[in-house]
Structures are given as structure tokens and as C-alpha cells.
Amino acid sequence: MKSLQRAWHRHSPQLFLGELLEKRWMEPIIPFTLTIAVFLAFAIMIPRYLTAGSLQELMRNFAEQGMVAVAMAFSVLSGGIDLSVGAVFAMSNFLALYLYLILGLPLPVTIVLVVLFGAAMGAINGGLIAYGKTRPFLTTLVVLIIVRAAYNKVTVAFTNELASIDSGSSTWDFMGSGRVLGIPFNMLVLILLAVGTHFFLTRIKPGVHIMAVGSSRKAARHAGVNVKRVLFSAYVMSGAIAALAGILYAARQSSSGTDTGVGWEINALAAVVLGGISLAGGRGTIARAVMGAAIIFMLTSGMVRLGISGNLTTAIIGIILLLAVGFNVKWVKNKGKVLQKVYVTPSWVDFEPPPSVERGSGTPFAENDRLKNAEAIALNMIEGPEDIILDRKDNLYTVNRNGSIIRFLAPDYTVREEFARIGGRPLGLAFDRDQNLLVCIAGMGVYGVKPDRSVFKVTDRTTRTRTRLKDDSRLYLADDLDVAPDGKIYFSEASTRYELTDWALDGFEGRGNGRLICHDPKTGTTRTVLKNLTFPNGICISHDGQSVLWASTWLCQINRFWIAGPKAGTSEILIDNLPGYCDNINRASDGKYWLAFVGLRTPVYDLAMRNPVFRTRMVKQIPPDEWLCPGINYGCVVKFDDNGVVTESLWDPGGLSHPTITSVREHKGYLYIGGLENNRIGRIRLQDADPTWEAHKSYWGRA
């Protein structure tokens, strides 16, 4: 029974559900589901609905409505509304017919002039709204009334001419009825338009500015965005897209009636809302607008083909849209809450009783006072020195919580200077052969600082796990690193599910969310070497350069991955069942290794790790400040050898000076101590250590 429970918690379907809900494209799941449901329903009810001819006709009739919805989406995403799109569409339809078929202008000239007309109508809207500070609803409503009135006048005036037109142009006919690979031409234009505008709004600066202004005009203004110009451009594009739809409609229908485009602005607005685009602006996508338009179009055309009367059709569509919008609003509002409920998925972790840490117990982990009187360096001059390192000139480097690398100058370390400002939250440090200081940065990847203080990016991506729904190619939580004799950089990514602010949640899960990654500076390639690791943390290349030692914090293990020799490519557990949660590993002068304990195991927490249901309820039902956590108010450092034998430990009982120790470095007879929550760097003299030993010589000799 226990084996089944372990397997269930280790491979819980909740993992997939959590990653599915995390995807941004899950926000429009209601309109997407409704689109599929409506399509399938009519496919069942209407004979020959799925034939090629029927589908082509549906696409041909839908394309212009989809474009008008895209036009409306531009104005809504900018934080406004454009009620004139239906009238601009109708007038553009007339102008295309008049300029090309009556006046005989060349088709390219006609297209340009009509699109310019739509852009001009958008410019009137945008100019009044952005620079005249008028209300979008009233402004575009007035433009709607004026353009619609003008359209009705010119349509009546040119009734005879419009009735007798004949294109006589294969290009014009192809625009109206042609197909490309079986797809109607106007539908192909809609697809290209949707893809292009999506790319524009998400990748191109002017488009991104439209989304920013829609989200918060004040924030966009403070970020240096020209809000007025952005609003103006959004309405210009809205008008131009509506005009393009009018041109294609003219080519398809070759007629212009008084009812052309009537009510299309309402349908477009309904499509935008149904697709989940916020009327407040700044949230949504072009795809959502197209989905909303498709739902409305399929409902309307399907009801007609089923022979349902017009009034009943309108009522049924209204009820369906009302319910769909209600569900969609509820879903968008509560999606985050649902995700919080299901995302954290604890696994089953079995722990054996750890070795005793009681004072006088006789184990190498027995509590003592060897760190209690450690010298305090940089007291109150540093925040959270998670890792520390020294260069060949004995200068001391550490990371600061504000995103900078701080250097304290030898010999007394009283002079503090900002060596480099990188940003993010710097964590692990390492020097390469050329004395470039390499640093892992949470949320950013691996960066480097040259001796002249210039900052460069090493890598921020690795190979993606193709079997996962979540794109894990971006580095979420690069933690610690070291450099192999061949120059390759090995570093740990503690978690691919959680960022630094939520690192404790990874501990509550206790599953393999991390990985070991290798970057080769010679080729510039980065690849994942080991995956599904449980919070891999400290990284250290062994003294012989044959293997990588890495610490699994939540499993309290030290592991070895062979990178050279007969065992190359294989892994093994070097030390298991440690009494503390291990962090960074670094070389010692006697051929052994120093290991920092960020916290100590407790019987209660060990019991909780064997009970995933308890941890799930704790995360869901109890405030974070009341969660059960490991004991981190202890200061402890241990030393072990290449055979995994722990030989000694150094303690600061109660963690008065050095709680949450995350790093220890030996340098010329001293041991330097860093911690994630500390305001100092500790230093003690090692009585039996080589006073001339330094890490750079250990790695690179005297180079």
C-alpha cells in the first residue's frame, strides 16, 4: 500500500494540472471550449456541415467579421473603445467599389487609398481622444453616426452605378472568391493579420506600448511611454484594419447596401468581451478576439441553417453569450486561486533517523562551540552574503541582496566597494582560470564579471525538457556553480517550478524539480546533464577534477556525478541521511571538502515529509507565517572526504552569529562563513590548515 501511495504522490496528475493552469493560454479556456463545442454541435445537427465546400464557405463569410473584431480589439486593448468600426467598414466597402470599378483606378492605388481613409477615420478618433481628451465611447459613437449617414447618402446616390458594375479583373475576383491551398483568400488574410498583430502587440515596442498604456496609463507614462501618441496609433490601426475588411468584403460581394456593416460594431465588441479581453484594457490577445468572433458567427449562421427565426436566434445567442461571458469573467478572476490550490504538489520522502548532533554524543556531528567566537567581518555592511570567495590578492568578494557584488579589500577588509552591479539576486560564486568572477543569479541565469569590472552574460537558457508541458528552457533559479579543468561551467538550478521568492514551497514538495547543467564557453552551448533532482544546491568540482559533487538540500544528501574517467556520465550518492539541510560545498586544503548546513532536521519535519497530505493541507489552509519549517536557527559546518566520510563539524549553537549558513570558503589558514540571512561574514583560524593554500592554486596551479 505504501509503495502505491509513494508512486501516486511522486507522479501525481496534479503536477500536470498545475503546469497546465500556469500557462497563459489557459486564460481563454472558456471561449476556446465554447468555440469547439459550438462547432461540434452544429457539425452533428447540420447535414454536410463538415464537407470541404461547407467549411470553405463558412471561412469565406467569417473572415471580414473576424477582421472587424481585430480592429475593435486594438482600441479595447489600449483602454478605449471604437464604435465606428462597423461604419468605417461599410464606407470602405463603398469606396473600394467606387474607386476601382466606377472610377477605374488601379487596384493597388484603390487599396492604398481605402486603407488611408480607414486610418484617417482612426486618426480623427485617436486625435480627439488622445489629444482632445474626449471620451472614447462618445467620440467614436459620433463618428459612427456621421460616417453611417454619409454612407447612406452616397449609397443611394450611386445606386445605378453600383448595380451595373462588372469587375473584369481576375485579381479582384481572386480576392473575393479565390483560394490558396484550399483556404479562401480573405480567410488567409485574416490568419496573417491575426498572427502579425499578435507579434506586433507582444514583440514590437509600439505594440507593447499599446498593452502597457491599456494596463496603466500612469505607469506607462512614468516608464517614459508617450501615452498620447500610443493612443492615437491604436485608433489609426483600428480604422485601417476595418478598412481592409471593407476592401475584401467589396471584392467578395461586389455590392453595397444600406444594411452593410449594420450592427457589426456591436458584434465586434461582443466578440472581444466573449474572448476574455478586459474592457479596462491591457489584458487579452488578438486570438481571443478572433475566437469570440468565431463563436458569434457560428451561432448566427448555424441558427439560420437550422431554420430558426431571426428573433428567436437573437434571443438564444444573447442567452449563450451572457452565460459564456459570466463563466469567462468568473474563470479569469479565480484562475489564480485555483492555481494556488493545485500547484503545490508534495511528494513522499522517507527519512531514516539521522546521526545524533547532541553535544558529547561522540559522532562527528556533535554540537560544539568552534564557531561561537568567529570574527565578524563587514558587520552591518552587507545584506545576505549567500556566497563568498577570495581572489589571488586575498580580496574578499560576496553577493548582496540588492543585486550587486561587493568586494572587501585585503588585508583587514574594512574598505568596502561595489565591484559590480548585475541585478537580480546573486547567489553562488566561482573564479575561472582567467579570474573572471562567475555568478549564479536567481531569475537571470549565469553571468560573469571580468577583472576590469565589465559584466557579461554566460547563459540564461538550457535544453528544454520535451516531455514537460512547461517550457523549462529558461533558467529559473540558478544556484551555485564551479569550473572544471577543461573550462566547462557546471551549475545547479535548484528548481524549475519555483522562483527565489517561493523557494520554501519547493521544500514542501520535496520532489525532483531541479537539475544539473553544463555550459561550455568554447562552443557557447548549454545543456542539462541531470534532471529531476531534489533542490540541487552546492556545486564543487572534486580535487582530482574527475567528478562534480552536488548537494541535495531537501534530501540531505551529497551526490557525485562523474565527468571524466571510466565512470564518466554516471551518478551516485556519496553521503546520505545527513542531519542537516546541506548547501554550498567547497574544497579544503587537506584534500577534503567543506559543507554548509542551512538548517537542521527535526523529528517533526521528518514526519511531515512522510505525509504529503499533511503538507498539502498546511500550504492550502494555514497562513505562510505559521507553516512548519526546518530548523534554520543553527549554525553548522561539516567536513567530509572523497569517500563520503564526515570527519568533523563546527558549530555556532543557536545561530547567534551565523544562522542559516550557506557558504564556507577556506583561504590561507582561515575559514570564511557566509549566510543567506546574515549581516556579516564570519572568519575563524584553522589550526591545522595549510596557511599558504588558496583555491585558485588548487584549481589552476600557479597560472
Side-chain angles (χ1 to χ4, degrees), residues 179-232:
R179 295 191 297 269
V180 178
L181 300 177
I183 301 175
F185 177 79
N186 59 350
M187 186 64 189
L188 182 62
V189 173
L190 172 61
I191 294 171
L192 295 176
L193 176 68
V195 173
T197 51
H198 173 78
F199 183 83
F200 174 75
L201 290 172
T202 57
R203 299 292 187 273
I204 308 299
K205 185 182 292 186
V208 173
H209 285 175
I210 290 176
M211 301 294 288
V213 169
S215 297
S216 173
R217 293 188 186 184
K218 184 177 181 180
R221 189 178 295 110
H222 288 169
V225 176
N226 189 326
V227 174
K228 293 181 179 179
R229 185 173 62 195
V230 169
L231 286 174
F232 178 80

Short mmCIF file of all heavy atoms in Angstrom, two decimals, residues 179-232:
data_model
loop_
_atom_site.label_atom_id
_atom_site.label_comp_id
_atom_site.label_asym_id
_atom_site.label_seq_id
_atom_site.Cartn_x
_atom_site.Cartn_y
_atom_site.Cartn_z
N ARG A 179 -8.87 30.87 -53.69
CA ARG A 179 -8.40 30.04 -52.58
C ARG A 179 -6.90 29.81 -52.72
O ARG A 179 -6.37 29.74 -53.82
CB ARG A 179 -9.13 28.70 -52.55
CG ARG A 179 -10.61 28.79 -52.26
CD ARG A 179 -11.20 27.41 -52.00
NE ARG A 179 -11.11 26.53 -53.15
CZ ARG A 179 -12.05 26.41 -54.09
NH1 ARG A 179 -13.16 27.14 -54.01
NH2 ARG A 179 -11.90 25.58 -55.10
N VAL A 180 -6.24 29.67 -51.58
CA VAL A 180 -4.82 29.33 -51.51
C VAL A 180 -4.70 28.06 -50.67
O VAL A 180 -5.00 28.08 -49.47
CB VAL A 180 -3.99 30.47 -50.89
CG1 VAL A 180 -2.52 30.06 -50.79
CG2 VAL A 180 -4.14 31.75 -51.70
N LEU A 181 -4.30 26.97 -51.30
CA LEU A 181 -4.21 25.67 -50.62
C LEU A 181 -5.53 25.30 -49.96
O LEU A 181 -5.58 24.75 -48.86
CB LEU A 181 -3.09 25.70 -49.57
CG LEU A 181 -1.67 25.98 -50.09
CD1 LEU A 181 -0.68 26.05 -48.93
CD2 LEU A 181 -1.25 24.90 -51.08
N GLY A 182 -6.62 25.61 -50.65
CA GLY A 182 -7.95 25.27 -50.15
C GLY A 182 -8.52 26.27 -49.16
O GLY A 182 -9.68 26.14 -48.75
N ILE A 183 -7.74 27.27 -48.76
CA ILE A 183 -8.21 28.28 -47.81
C ILE A 183 -8.65 29.52 -48.58
O ILE A 183 -7.88 30.04 -49.40
CB ILE A 183 -7.10 28.66 -46.81
CG1 ILE A 183 -6.63 27.42 -46.04
CG2 ILE A 183 -7.59 29.72 -45.84
CD1 ILE A 183 -5.45 27.68 -45.12
N PRO A 184 -9.86 30.02 -48.36
CA PRO A 184 -10.29 31.24 -49.04
C PRO A 184 -9.30 32.37 -48.82
O PRO A 184 -8.71 32.50 -47.73
CB PRO A 184 -11.65 31.54 -48.39
CG PRO A 184 -12.15 30.21 -47.93
CD PRO A 184 -10.92 29.45 -47.51
N PHE A 185 -9.13 33.21 -49.84
CA PHE A 185 -8.12 34.26 -49.78
C PHE A 185 -8.36 35.20 -48.60
O PHE A 185 -7.42 35.57 -47.90
CB PHE A 185 -8.13 35.05 -51.10
CG PHE A 185 -7.17 36.20 -51.09
CD1 PHE A 185 -5.81 35.99 -51.29
CD2 PHE A 185 -7.62 37.50 -50.88
CE1 PHE A 185 -4.92 37.05 -51.28
CE2 PHE A 185 -6.73 38.56 -50.86
CZ PHE A 185 -5.38 38.34 -51.06
N ASN A 186 -9.62 35.60 -48.39
CA ASN A 186 -9.86 36.55 -47.30
C ASN A 186 -9.59 35.91 -45.93
O ASN A 186 -9.16 36.58 -45.00
CB ASN A 186 -11.28 37.11 -47.37
CG ASN A 186 -12.35 36.04 -47.30
OD1 ASN A 186 -12.07 34.84 -47.38
ND2 ASN A 186 -13.60 36.46 -47.16
N MET A 187 -9.83 34.60 -45.82
CA MET A 187 -9.52 33.91 -44.56
C MET A 187 -8.02 33.85 -44.34
O MET A 187 -7.54 33.99 -43.21
CB MET A 187 -10.10 32.50 -44.58
CG MET A 187 -9.97 31.75 -43.26
SD MET A 187 -10.92 32.56 -41.95
CE MET A 187 -10.33 31.64 -40.52
N LEU A 188 -7.27 33.64 -45.42
CA LEU A 188 -5.82 33.63 -45.32
C LEU A 188 -5.31 34.99 -44.86
O LEU A 188 -4.39 35.08 -44.03
CB LEU A 188 -5.20 33.26 -46.66
CG LEU A 188 -3.67 33.16 -46.71
CD1 LEU A 188 -3.18 32.07 -45.76
CD2 LEU A 188 -3.19 32.89 -48.13
N VAL A 189 -5.92 36.05 -45.38
CA VAL A 189 -5.53 37.41 -44.95
C VAL A 189 -5.82 37.59 -43.46
O VAL A 189 -5.02 38.17 -42.72
CB VAL A 189 -6.28 38.47 -45.78
CG1 VAL A 189 -6.01 39.87 -45.22
CG2 VAL A 189 -5.84 38.41 -47.23
N LEU A 190 -6.96 37.08 -43.00
CA LEU A 190 -7.29 37.17 -41.57
C LEU A 190 -6.26 36.43 -40.72
O LEU A 190 -5.83 36.94 -39.67
CB LEU A 190 -8.68 36.59 -41.32
CG LEU A 190 -9.09 36.44 -39.83
CD1 LEU A 190 -9.09 37.79 -39.14
CD2 LEU A 190 -10.44 35.76 -39.71
N ILE A 191 -5.86 35.24 -41.16
CA ILE A 191 -4.87 34.47 -40.40
C ILE A 191 -3.56 35.23 -40.32
O ILE A 191 -2.96 35.37 -39.24
CB ILE A 191 -4.66 33.09 -41.04
CG1 ILE A 191 -5.94 32.25 -40.93
CG2 ILE A 191 -3.49 32.36 -40.39
CD1 ILE A 191 -5.89 30.95 -41.72
N LEU A 192 -3.11 35.75 -41.46
CA LEU A 192 -1.85 36.51 -41.47
C LEU A 192 -1.97 37.77 -40.63
O LEU A 192 -1.03 38.15 -39.92
CB LEU A 192 -1.47 36.86 -42.91
CG LEU A 192 -1.14 35.67 -43.83
CD1 LEU A 192 -0.87 36.17 -45.25
CD2 LEU A 192 0.07 34.91 -43.30
N LEU A 193 -3.14 38.41 -40.70
CA LEU A 193 -3.36 39.63 -39.91
C LEU A 193 -3.32 39.31 -38.41
O LEU A 193 -2.70 40.04 -37.62
CB LEU A 193 -4.71 40.25 -40.28
CG LEU A 193 -5.13 41.48 -39.47
CD1 LEU A 193 -4.23 42.66 -39.79
CD2 LEU A 193 -6.58 41.82 -39.75
N ALA A 194 -3.98 38.22 -38.02
CA ALA A 194 -4.02 37.84 -36.60
C ALA A 194 -2.63 37.51 -36.09
O ALA A 194 -2.23 37.95 -35.00
CB ALA A 194 -4.96 36.65 -36.40
N VAL A 195 -1.86 36.75 -36.88
CA VAL A 195 -0.50 36.40 -36.46
C VAL A 195 0.38 37.65 -36.39
O VAL A 195 1.12 37.85 -35.43
CB VAL A 195 0.11 35.36 -37.42
CG1 VAL A 195 1.58 35.13 -37.10
CG2 VAL A 195 -0.66 34.05 -37.34
N GLY A 196 0.27 38.50 -37.41
CA GLY A 196 1.08 39.71 -37.45
C GLY A 196 0.77 40.67 -36.32
O GLY A 196 1.68 41.22 -35.68
N THR A 197 -0.51 40.89 -36.05
CA THR A 197 -0.88 41.81 -34.97
C THR A 197 -0.54 41.25 -33.60
O THR A 197 -0.18 41.98 -32.68
CB THR A 197 -2.38 42.15 -35.04
OG1 THR A 197 -3.15 40.94 -35.12
CG2 THR A 197 -2.68 43.01 -36.25
N HIS A 198 -0.64 39.90 -33.45
CA HIS A 198 -0.22 39.29 -32.19
C HIS A 198 1.27 39.52 -31.96
O HIS A 198 1.70 39.90 -30.85
CB HIS A 198 -0.52 37.80 -32.20
CG HIS A 198 0.03 37.07 -31.01
ND1 HIS A 198 -0.58 37.10 -29.77
CD2 HIS A 198 1.16 36.31 -30.86
CE1 HIS A 198 0.14 36.40 -28.91
NE2 HIS A 198 1.20 35.91 -29.55
N PHE A 199 2.06 39.30 -32.99
CA PHE A 199 3.50 39.53 -32.90
C PHE A 199 3.78 41.00 -32.60
O PHE A 199 4.65 41.33 -31.79
CB PHE A 199 4.17 39.11 -34.21
CG PHE A 199 5.67 39.23 -34.19
CD1 PHE A 199 6.45 38.23 -33.65
CD2 PHE A 199 6.30 40.35 -34.72
CE1 PHE A 199 7.84 38.35 -33.63
CE2 PHE A 199 7.67 40.48 -34.70
CZ PHE A 199 8.45 39.46 -34.16
N PHE A 200 3.03 41.88 -33.24
CA PHE A 200 3.21 43.32 -33.04
C PHE A 200 2.93 43.71 -31.59
O PHE A 200 3.69 44.47 -30.97
CB PHE A 200 2.28 44.08 -33.98
CG PHE A 200 2.26 45.57 -33.77
CD1 PHE A 200 3.31 46.36 -34.20
CD2 PHE A 200 1.19 46.18 -33.12
CE1 PHE A 200 3.28 47.74 -34.00
CE2 PHE A 200 1.15 47.54 -32.91
CZ PHE A 200 2.22 48.33 -33.36
N LEU A 201 1.86 43.19 -31.02
CA LEU A 201 1.47 43.57 -29.66
C LEU A 201 2.33 42.93 -28.58
O LEU A 201 2.35 43.41 -27.44
CB LEU A 201 0.00 43.21 -29.41
CG LEU A 201 -1.03 44.04 -30.17
CD1 LEU A 201 -2.42 43.45 -30.00
CD2 LEU A 201 -1.02 45.49 -29.69
N THR A 202 3.02 41.85 -28.92
CA THR A 202 3.80 41.14 -27.90
C THR A 202 5.30 41.24 -28.08
O THR A 202 6.05 40.98 -27.13
CB THR A 202 3.42 39.65 -27.87
OG1 THR A 202 3.64 39.08 -29.19
CG2 THR A 202 1.97 39.46 -27.48
N ARG A 203 5.77 41.64 -29.27
CA ARG A 203 7.21 41.63 -29.53
C ARG A 203 7.75 42.98 -30.00
O ARG A 203 8.94 43.26 -29.80
CB ARG A 203 7.55 40.58 -30.59
CG ARG A 203 7.21 39.15 -30.20
CD ARG A 203 8.10 38.65 -29.07
NE ARG A 203 7.88 37.22 -28.81
CZ ARG A 203 6.96 36.74 -28.01
NH1 ARG A 203 6.15 37.59 -27.37
NH2 ARG A 203 6.82 35.44 -27.81
N ILE A 204 6.94 43.79 -30.64
CA ILE A 204 7.39 45.07 -31.19
C ILE A 204 7.09 46.18 -30.19
O ILE A 204 6.00 46.23 -29.62
CB ILE A 204 6.73 45.36 -32.55
CG1 ILE A 204 6.92 44.16 -33.48
CG2 ILE A 204 7.32 46.61 -33.18
CD1 ILE A 204 8.35 43.81 -33.78
N LYS A 205 8.05 47.09 -30.01
CA LYS A 205 7.92 48.10 -28.97
C LYS A 205 6.65 48.93 -29.07
O LYS A 205 5.95 49.11 -28.05
CB LYS A 205 9.14 49.03 -28.99
CG LYS A 205 9.14 50.06 -27.86
CD LYS A 205 10.33 51.00 -27.94
CE LYS A 205 11.61 50.26 -27.64
NZ LYS A 205 12.77 51.19 -27.57
N PRO A 206 6.25 49.47 -30.24
CA PRO A 206 4.99 50.24 -30.28
C PRO A 206 3.78 49.42 -29.86
O PRO A 206 2.87 49.94 -29.20
CB PRO A 206 4.89 50.67 -31.75
CG PRO A 206 6.30 50.65 -32.25
CD PRO A 206 6.95 49.51 -31.54
N GLY A 207 3.75 48.13 -30.23
CA GLY A 207 2.64 47.28 -29.82
C GLY A 207 2.65 46.99 -28.34
O GLY A 207 1.60 47.01 -27.67
N VAL A 208 3.83 46.73 -27.80
CA VAL A 208 3.95 46.50 -26.36
C VAL A 208 3.52 47.75 -25.59
O VAL A 208 2.90 47.66 -24.53
CB VAL A 208 5.40 46.11 -26.01
CG1 VAL A 208 5.59 46.03 -24.50
CG2 VAL A 208 5.76 44.77 -26.65
N HIS A 209 3.82 48.92 -26.15
CA HIS A 209 3.40 50.17 -25.52
C HIS A 209 1.88 50.29 -25.48
O HIS A 209 1.33 50.85 -24.52
CB HIS A 209 4.01 51.36 -26.25
CG HIS A 209 5.47 51.54 -25.97
ND1 HIS A 209 6.25 52.49 -26.59
CD2 HIS A 209 6.30 50.88 -25.11
CE1 HIS A 209 7.48 52.42 -26.15
NE2 HIS A 209 7.54 51.44 -25.25
N ILE A 210 1.21 49.78 -26.52
CA ILE A 210 -0.26 49.80 -26.50
C ILE A 210 -0.79 48.99 -25.33
O ILE A 210 -1.69 49.42 -24.60
CB ILE A 210 -0.82 49.26 -27.84
CG1 ILE A 210 -0.54 50.25 -28.97
CG2 ILE A 210 -2.32 48.99 -27.73
CD1 ILE A 210 -0.96 49.76 -30.35
N MET A 211 -0.23 47.80 -25.12
CA MET A 211 -0.63 46.97 -23.99
C MET A 211 -0.31 47.65 -22.67
O MET A 211 -1.09 47.58 -21.71
CB MET A 211 0.06 45.61 -24.08
CG MET A 211 -0.24 44.82 -25.34
SD MET A 211 -1.97 44.31 -25.47
CE MET A 211 -2.04 43.05 -24.21
N ALA A 212 0.85 48.30 -22.61
CA ALA A 212 1.25 48.98 -21.37
C ALA A 212 0.32 50.13 -21.03
O ALA A 212 -0.09 50.31 -19.87
CB ALA A 212 2.69 49.48 -21.50
N VAL A 213 -0.04 50.92 -22.05
CA VAL A 213 -0.97 52.03 -21.83
C VAL A 213 -2.33 51.52 -21.40
O VAL A 213 -2.98 52.09 -20.52
CB VAL A 213 -1.07 52.90 -23.10
CG1 VAL A 213 -2.21 53.90 -22.98
CG2 VAL A 213 0.25 53.63 -23.34
N GLY A 214 -2.78 50.42 -22.02
CA GLY A 214 -4.06 49.84 -21.63
C GLY A 214 -4.06 49.33 -20.21
O GLY A 214 -5.06 49.44 -19.50
N SER A 215 -2.93 48.79 -19.76
CA SER A 215 -2.83 48.27 -18.39
C SER A 215 -2.85 49.39 -17.37
O SER A 215 -3.57 49.34 -16.37
CB SER A 215 -1.56 47.44 -18.23
OG SER A 215 -1.59 46.31 -19.06
N SER A 216 -2.04 50.42 -17.60
CA SER A 216 -1.98 51.55 -16.67
C SER A 216 -1.32 52.73 -17.36
O SER A 216 -0.11 52.72 -17.62
CB SER A 216 -1.19 51.17 -15.41
OG SER A 216 -0.97 52.30 -14.59
N ARG A 217 -2.12 53.74 -17.67
CA ARG A 217 -1.57 54.92 -18.34
C ARG A 217 -0.54 55.62 -17.46
O ARG A 217 0.48 56.12 -17.93
CB ARG A 217 -2.69 55.89 -18.71
CG ARG A 217 -3.63 55.35 -19.77
CD ARG A 217 -4.61 56.40 -20.25
NE ARG A 217 -5.59 55.82 -21.16
CZ ARG A 217 -6.52 56.51 -21.80
NH1 ARG A 217 -6.61 57.83 -21.61
NH2 ARG A 217 -7.37 55.91 -22.60
N LYS A 218 -0.82 55.66 -16.17
CA LYS A 218 0.08 56.34 -15.24
C LYS A 218 1.43 55.64 -15.20
O LYS A 218 2.49 56.28 -15.28
CB LYS A 218 -0.54 56.39 -13.85
CG LYS A 218 0.29 57.16 -12.83
CD LYS A 218 -0.43 57.22 -11.49
CE LYS A 218 0.39 58.01 -10.46
NZ LYS A 218 -0.32 58.06 -9.15
N ALA A 219 1.41 54.32 -15.07
CA ALA A 219 2.66 53.55 -15.02
C ALA A 219 3.42 53.67 -16.35
O ALA A 219 4.65 53.79 -16.36
CB ALA A 219 2.38 52.09 -14.70
N ALA A 220 2.68 53.62 -17.47
CA ALA A 220 3.32 53.74 -18.78
C ALA A 220 3.97 55.11 -18.93
O ALA A 220 5.09 55.23 -19.45
CB ALA A 220 2.30 53.51 -19.88
N ARG A 221 3.28 56.14 -18.47
CA ARG A 221 3.84 57.50 -18.54
C ARG A 221 5.11 57.61 -17.71
O ARG A 221 6.11 58.21 -18.14
CB ARG A 221 2.80 58.51 -18.07
CG ARG A 221 3.19 59.97 -18.30
CD ARG A 221 2.10 60.92 -17.87
NE ARG A 221 0.90 60.77 -18.69
CZ ARG A 221 -0.23 60.24 -18.26
NH1 ARG A 221 -0.33 59.80 -17.00
NH2 ARG A 221 -1.27 60.13 -19.06
N HIS A 222 5.11 57.02 -16.53
CA HIS A 222 6.29 57.06 -15.67
C HIS A 222 7.44 56.25 -16.27
O HIS A 222 8.62 56.53 -15.97
CB HIS A 222 5.95 56.51 -14.29
CG HIS A 222 5.09 57.44 -13.49
ND1 HIS A 222 4.48 57.07 -12.31
CD2 HIS A 222 4.71 58.72 -13.70
CE1 HIS A 222 3.78 58.08 -11.83
NE2 HIS A 222 3.90 59.09 -12.67
N ALA A 223 7.12 55.27 -17.11
CA ALA A 223 8.15 54.47 -17.76
C ALA A 223 8.69 55.14 -19.02
O ALA A 223 9.54 54.58 -19.71
CB ALA A 223 7.61 53.09 -18.11
N GLY A 224 8.20 56.33 -19.33
CA GLY A 224 8.69 57.07 -20.48
C GLY A 224 7.93 56.86 -21.76
O GLY A 224 8.38 57.26 -22.83
N VAL A 225 6.77 56.22 -21.69
CA VAL A 225 5.96 55.96 -22.88
C VAL A 225 5.16 57.22 -23.22
O VAL A 225 4.56 57.84 -22.33
CB VAL A 225 5.01 54.77 -22.65
CG1 VAL A 225 4.10 54.57 -23.85
CG2 VAL A 225 5.81 53.51 -22.37
N ASN A 226 5.14 57.59 -24.49
CA ASN A 226 4.33 58.71 -24.95
C ASN A 226 2.88 58.23 -25.09
O ASN A 226 2.47 57.70 -26.11
CB ASN A 226 4.86 59.22 -26.29
CG ASN A 226 4.20 60.53 -26.72
OD1 ASN A 226 3.02 60.77 -26.44
ND2 ASN A 226 4.96 61.37 -27.39
N VAL A 227 2.11 58.41 -24.03
CA VAL A 227 0.77 57.85 -23.95
C VAL A 227 -0.13 58.39 -25.07
O VAL A 227 -0.89 57.63 -25.70
CB VAL A 227 0.16 58.13 -22.57
CG1 VAL A 227 -1.30 57.67 -22.53
CG2 VAL A 227 0.96 57.41 -21.49
N LYS A 228 -0.08 59.67 -25.33
CA LYS A 228 -0.95 60.26 -26.35
C LYS A 228 -0.67 59.68 -27.73
O LYS A 228 -1.59 59.35 -28.48
CB LYS A 228 -0.77 61.78 -26.36
CG LYS A 228 -1.27 62.46 -25.09
CD LYS A 228 -1.08 63.97 -25.18
CE LYS A 228 -1.60 64.65 -23.91
NZ LYS A 228 -1.42 66.12 -23.94
N ARG A 229 0.61 59.56 -28.04
CA ARG A 229 0.97 59.02 -29.36
C ARG A 229 0.54 57.56 -29.48
O ARG A 229 0.08 57.12 -30.55
CB ARG A 229 2.47 59.15 -29.58
CG ARG A 229 2.93 58.72 -30.97
CD ARG A 229 4.40 59.03 -31.18
NE ARG A 229 5.24 58.31 -30.22
CZ ARG A 229 6.50 58.61 -30.00
NH1 ARG A 229 7.06 59.64 -30.62
NH2 ARG A 229 7.20 57.91 -29.13
N VAL A 230 0.68 56.81 -28.41
CA VAL A 230 0.30 55.40 -28.43
C VAL A 230 -1.21 55.25 -28.63
O VAL A 230 -1.67 54.44 -29.43
CB VAL A 230 0.75 54.70 -27.13
CG1 VAL A 230 0.12 53.33 -27.01
CG2 VAL A 230 2.27 54.59 -27.10
N LEU A 231 -2.00 56.04 -27.90
CA LEU A 231 -3.46 56.00 -28.07
C LEU A 231 -3.85 56.37 -29.49
O LEU A 231 -4.71 55.73 -30.11
CB LEU A 231 -4.13 56.95 -27.08
CG LEU A 231 -4.17 56.49 -25.61
CD1 LEU A 231 -4.73 57.60 -24.74
CD2 LEU A 231 -5.01 55.23 -25.47
N PHE A 232 -3.23 57.41 -30.00
CA PHE A 232 -3.51 57.85 -31.37
C PHE A 232 -3.23 56.72 -32.36
O PHE A 232 -4.05 56.42 -33.23
CB PHE A 232 -2.65 59.07 -31.69
CG PHE A 232 -2.82 59.59 -33.09
CD1 PHE A 232 -3.90 60.40 -33.42
CD2 PHE A 232 -1.90 59.27 -34.08
CE1 PHE A 232 -4.05 60.88 -34.72
CE2 PHE A 232 -2.04 59.74 -35.37
CZ PHE A 232 -3.12 60.55 -35.69
#
